[in-house]
Amino acid sequence: MLSSKVILLIAIPVFCALSLVLKENFPFSHYPMYSDPDPVSAYYHLEDAAGKALPLTQLTGVRGPNLGKILRKRLSDQAKKLDVGVKSLPREAVEGVARDTLAYLRTQAKHNKQVLPEKLRIMFTTIQFADGKVEEKREVFFTE
């Protein structure tokens, strides 16, 4: 009778070969999402007026990546209301979305029995690999 180690040594290469042949047919996958990453990665985060990054999850219960999702969804909804593209939104509309988002975060902080600083700013950061080095570009998306 074959031992469990021998069965594993046979099963793993067979599974790998089968996965390569079957490609993207569940439950087999060659994970193409990792083979061609976007050239630029972007994210939003919250800072106080002095530029100190705030622990968003600890203060509000909202995870960092969700801040970007919330902003993108609200901007998209606002663009649909105004019948324009997101990139064509007037600055006043973008500021309104940012204010509403900060009000939502303050409400979430109260639920967590936390207090956010009086003045906040939403930062937008992009990271890309160019000319053999990693470049990080930070800009203020909105400030109170």
Coordinates of all heavy atoms in Angstrom, one line a residue, residues 40-43 124-128 134-139:
V40 N 0.0 51.4 -12.4 CA -0.1 52.4 -11.4 C -1.1 51.9 -10.3 O -2.2 51.4 -10.6 CB -0.6 53.7 -11.9 CG1 -0.8 54.7 -10.8 CG2 0.3 54.3 -12.9
S41 N -0.7 51.9 -9.1 CA -1.6 51.6 -8.0 C -2.0 52.9 -7.3 O -1.1 53.7 -7.0 CB -0.9 50.6 -7.0 OG -1.7 50.3 -5.9
A42 N -3.3 53.0 -6.9 CA -3.7 54.2 -6.3 C -4.5 53.9 -5.1 O -5.2 52.9 -5.0 CB -4.6 55.1 -7.3
Y43 N -4.5 54.8 -4.1 CA -5.3 54.6 -2.9 C -5.5 55.9 -2.2 O -4.8 56.9 -2.4 CB -4.6 53.6 -1.9 CG -3.3 54.0 -1.3 CD1 -3.3 54.7 -0.1 CD2 -2.1 53.8 -1.9 CE1 -2.1 55.1 0.5 CE2 -0.9 54.2 -1.4 CZ -0.9 54.9 -0.2 OH 0.3 55.3 0.4
F124 N -4.8 61.4 -1.8 CA -4.8 60.5 -2.9 C -3.3 60.2 -3.3 O -2.6 61.1 -3.5 CB -5.5 61.1 -4.1 CG -5.6 60.2 -5.3 CD1 -6.3 59.0 -5.3 CD2 -4.8 60.5 -6.4 CE1 -6.3 58.2 -6.4 CE2 -4.9 59.7 -7.5 CZ -5.6 58.5 -7.5
T125 N -2.9 58.9 -3.2 CA -1.5 58.6 -3.5 C -1.5 57.6 -4.6 O -2.3 56.6 -4.7 CB -0.9 57.9 -2.2 OG1 -1.0 58.9 -1.2 CG2 0.5 57.6 -2.5
T126 N -0.6 57.8 -5.6 CA -0.3 56.8 -6.6 C 1.1 56.3 -6.5 O 2.0 57.0 -6.1 CB -0.5 57.4 -8.0 OG1 0.4 58.6 -8.2 CG2 -1.9 57.9 -8.3
I127 N 1.2 55.0 -6.8 CA 2.5 54.4 -6.7 C 2.8 53.7 -8.1 O 1.9 53.0 -8.6 CB 2.6 53.3 -5.6 CG1 2.4 54.0 -4.3 CG2 4.0 52.6 -5.6 CD1 2.2 53.0 -3.1
Q128 N 3.9 53.9 -8.7 CA 4.2 53.2 -9.9 C 5.7 53.0 -10.0 O 6.5 53.6 -9.3 CB 3.8 54.1 -11.1 CG 4.5 55.4 -11.3 CD 4.0 56.2 -12.5 OE1 3.0 55.8 -13.0 NE2 4.7 57.2 -12.9
V134 N 10.7 52.9 -7.7 CA 9.3 53.1 -7.3 C 9.1 54.6 -7.0 O 9.8 55.2 -6.3 CB 9.0 52.2 -6.1 CG1 7.6 52.5 -5.6 CG2 9.2 50.8 -6.3
E135 N 8.0 55.1 -7.7 CA 7.7 56.5 -7.5 C 6.4 56.6 -6.8 O 5.4 56.0 -7.2 CB 7.6 57.2 -8.8 CG 8.9 57.3 -9.6 CD 8.8 58.0 -10.9 OE1 7.6 58.3 -11.3 OE2 9.8 58.2 -11.6
E136 N 6.3 57.4 -5.7 CA 5.1 57.6 -5.0 C 4.7 59.1 -5.1 O 5.5 60.0 -4.8 CB 5.3 57.3 -3.5 CG 4.1 57.4 -2.7 CD 4.3 57.0 -1.2 OE1 5.2 56.2 -1.0 OE2 3.5 57.4 -0.4
K137 N 3.5 59.4 -5.5 CA 3.1 60.7 -5.7 C 1.8 60.9 -4.8 O 0.8 60.3 -5.0 CB 2.7 61.0 -7.2 CG 2.2 62.4 -7.4 CD 1.8 62.6 -8.9 CE 1.2 63.9 -9.1 NZ 0.5 64.0 -10.4
R138 N 1.9 61.9 -3.9 CA 0.9 62.2 -2.9 C 0.3 63.5 -3.3 O 1.0 64.5 -3.6 CB 1.4 62.2 -1.5 CG 1.9 60.9 -1.0 CD 2.7 61.1 0.3 NE 2.3 62.2 1.1 CZ 1.5 62.1 2.2 NH1 1.2 61.0 2.7 NH2 1.2 63.2 2.9
E139 N -1.1 63.6 -3.2 CA -1.7 64.9 -3.4 C -2.9 65.0 -2.5 O -3.6 63.9 -2.2 CB -2.1 65.1 -4.9 CG -3.0 64.1 -5.5 CD -3.2 64.3 -7.0 OE1 -2.3 64.1 -7.8 OE2 -4.4 64.7 -7.3

